[in-house]
Amino acid sequence: MKKKLAMILATSLTLCAALTGCGGSDSKDMVYAVEAGSAGEEVAQEKGFQTNAVASQADALMEVASGTSDAAIIDLLMAGAMIGEGTSYPNLVHTDELTTEEYGVGCRKGSDLASYINAVFAETYADGSMQETATTYGVQEALVEQKACEYTASADSDVAYIQGKGTLIVGITEFEPMDYKDASGEWIGFDADMARIVADKLGVEAQFVVIDWDNKIMELDSNNIDVVWNGMTLTNEVTEAMECTNAYCNNAQVIVVPGK
């Protein structure tokens, strides 16, 4: 699985981002399952596609597998882990890449937590532990190089607030290979593991909370969570509403359809 995902990433991320086809000239007559509030929904709306908004990208794949939607638009990293031979959906394939994009972590607007996470990214990239974690989940080919970065505390420090309460509350959805549960019910994945590294350095516990992805900004602003860390694409909406970290992974939005 991990080797397969790395191979998909190595080849797919080099393709041209300007693809306009979507499986044929009748693409706008198709119904595309998309996660509400996601980059996939955004690109579908930009292209004028008919959409079926669902709660998660995993649900979007279920829609295609059951035949209730013609196609899905999901993240390339998820496609590599979830579709094709040896996966949960062996009869689904991905076709066109609609975008190229990057993942980042979202914090409250003005929060110094983003600066703290950037410093941890730089440290773990330099010592190789970020690459080691990425290899565990087959996403090493998608990593973005992290340059040296130092943490700068703010007067109204989110870092101090998190350390004071003893928990880093991480807003997620189930999204393999970034955040998903193992056989024992524990959250694992590249993002989950990196969030735990940050929590350890803060001296607090990481607590994972499943959120409605469409309400992620509201969850942050209301202090229900401290960070959105779930393969979040750095869209204009996100970067305007949140204090975001440096990009740490490359990604794309791809179309998934039944195989022939």
Side-chain angles (χ1 to χ4, degrees):
M1 169 69 70
K2 293 166 189 169
K3 182 177 179 182
K4 170 182 176 288
L5 177 54
M7 290 174 63
I8 289 174
L9 291 169
T11 55
S12 295
L13 288 170
T14 60
L15 294 176
C16 175
L19 290 170
T20 57
C22 309
S25 59
D26 60 347
S27 60
K28 291 192 178 182
D29 295 326
M30 297 169 62
V31 175
Y32 295 81
V34 295
E35 180 182 27
S38 69
E41 182 179 48
E42 184 177 311
V43 71
Q45 290 173 345
E46 288 175 355
K47 292 184 175 294
F49 294 166
Q50 298 180 57
T51 60
N52 172 21
V54 294
S56 69
Q57 294 188 60
D59 288 344
L61 291 177
M62 290 176 61
E63 290 285 320
V64 180
S66 65
T68 50
S69 291
D70 300 306
I73 300 176
I74 66 169
D75 290 38
L76 173 62
L77 290 176
M78 186 178 204
M82 294 289 289
I83 70 173
E85 184 179 355
T87 69
S88 303
Y89 296 98
N91 298 322
L92 300 184
V93 298
H94 87 259
T95 57
D96 294 351
E97 290 185 24
L98 301 176
T99 65
T100 56
E101 56 199 36
E102 294 177 317
Y103 285 163
V105 181
C107 308
R108 282 179 278 276
K109 199 67 176 176
S111 172
D112 60 350
L113 181 59
S115 172
Y116 190 93
I117 295 171
N118 282 338
V120 175
F121 280 173
E123 178 185 343
T124 55
Y125 192 90
D127 68 19
S129 56
M130 177 183 271
Q131 293 91 324
E132 183 179 348
T133 302
T135 301
T136 299
Y137 298 102
V139 300
Q140 67 274 15
E141 298 293 342
L143 279 187
V144 174
E145 180 182 359
Q146 301 297 303
K147 300 187 183 301
C149 183
E150 293 186 2
Y151 164 58
T152 303
S154 64
D156 185 18
S157 175
D158 232 7
V159 168
Y161 161 71
I162 290 163
Q163 290 174 324
K165 65 189 177 75
T167 55
L168 174 69
I169 304 177
V170 185
I172 62 170
T173 65
E174 189 158 0
F175 175 19
E176 188 176 352
M178 311 311 278
D179 292 297
Y180 62 104
K181 288 185 177 181
D182 65 12
S184 66
E186 181 179 5
W187 287 104
I188 61 171
F190 178 69
D191 282 352
D193 285 9
M194 291 301 300
R196 285 194 180 91
I197 290 172
V198 169
D200 286 346
K201 291 183 179 295
L202 285 167
V204 302
E205 294 292 325
Q207 178 183 342
F208 297 93
V209 175
V210 176
I211 61 173
D212 181 336
W213 195 246
D214 210 20
N215 294 330
K216 55 188 176 292
I217 296 169
M218 182 186 68
E219 295 284 356
L220 262 182
D221 290 345
S222 62
N223 282 15
N224 289 336
I225 60 174
D226 298 312
V227 65
V228 179
W229 202 330
N230 192 75
M232 183 179 69
T233 300
L234 294 173
T235 63
N236 289 336
E237 178 192 17
V238 162
T239 55
E240 288 171 3
M242 301 182 193
E243 199 70 32
C244 294
T245 66
N246 297 331
Y248 64 90
C249 266
N250 290 307
N251 184 47
Q253 294 300 312
V254 298
I255 294 176
V256 173
V257 297
K260 296 181 179 180

